[in-house]
Amino acid sequence: MSDRHQFRANWHGYNDGLYFVTVCTREMKPSLGAITDNEMHLSHLGAVLDYWLRKAPESYEDICMINYVIMPNHFHCLLDIRGEQLHSEQAHYGCLYSSHRLDKNTNFHHNSLLSRFIGNIKRAVTMEARKAGIDFTWQRSFHEHIVKHDSAYKAIMLHIDRNVSSWTEDRFYR
């Protein structure tokens, strides 16, 4: 693993750390393509998603896309987020006030760098679908996992690299 992707014991409100992210289409609809003969064939929306997964990190100097895979009804990505400048008192992304009480809720991350990044990817694909007249919707939110150990990192990289070839055993296979 390169120095860029060393594990850090501390993470700060979804603005720093290694994250394994999974984003699904609504109702697991295979809108992103199809797998035949262990090869992923991207649909128009899958190609748009691929473009934005490659391009979006250029707009986020604190995000490095380590690896990703697009599947028919979901995608996985492994991100390295280094949001050091967000740790000042002026930026409390990921530490928004709860609507139920006046104290800060540190688990609420809808405005974190991670959430904004994934939201922008989802928004770009959705806008293209609407423009092309394609009936398409993402599942609400996304699933993230903080990668804390080298063994987890290696397992995630292997999962991403082998996801297409093991499609029929995938938990999202329909």
Side-chain angles (χ1 to χ4, degrees), residues 22-40:
T22 302
V23 182
C24 299
T25 60
R26 175 147 309 144
E27 297 177 358
M28 304 307 283
K29 186 175 175 183
S31 303
L32 304 175
I35 295 176
T36 54
D37 298 324
N38 290 329
E39 187 174 318
M40 179 65 185

Side-chain angles (χ1 to χ4, degrees), residues 53-173:
L53 287 171
R54 290 179 191 274
K55 182 163 179 56
E58 295 172 14
S59 302
Y60 293 84
E61 64 185 38
D62 295 323
I63 295 179
C64 176
M65 180 72 70
I66 299 171
N67 201 358
Y68 71 89
V69 64
I70 300 171
M71 301 298 287
N73 57 11
H74 69 282
F75 74 91
H76 298 294
C77 58
L78 182 58
L79 303 170
D80 185 358
I81 300 177
R82 299 276 179 115
E84 284 89 4
Q85 80 275 5
L86 296 175
H87 301 290
S88 71
E89 285 298 315
Q90 297 170 342
H92 289 288
Y93 299 115
C95 298
L96 303 177
Y97 288 96
S98 166
S99 61
H100 302 295
R101 53 187 174 197
L102 296 176
D103 57 331
K104 287 184 184 176
N105 180 351
T106 58
N107 293 323
F108 189 76
H109 67 91
H110 296 294
N111 200 25
S112 68
L113 188 54
L114 175 62
S115 289
R116 289 183 289 138
F117 177 79
I118 296 298
N120 285 338
I121 298 275
K122 291 170 71 172
R123 188 171 11 270
V125 175
T126 300
M127 287 174 57
E128 178 60 31
R130 288 181 182 154
K131 188 169 80 173
I134 299 170
D135 180 26
F136 173 78
T137 312
W138 291 106
Q139 182 175 316
R140 188 172 182 195
S141 194
F142 58 90
H143 175 76
E144 83 285 325
H145 172 78
I146 301 166
V147 182
K148 298 179 183 176
H149 306 286
D150 189 53
S151 59
Y153 175 87
K154 289 175 182 173
I156 289 166
M157 289 293 283
L158 190 62
H159 177 74
I160 289 173
D161 291 342
R162 293 184 176 171
N163 206 195
V164 171
S165 64
S166 60
W167 174 229
T168 58
E169 290 90 45
D170 192 290
R171 67 185 253 181
F172 300 124
Y173 175 75

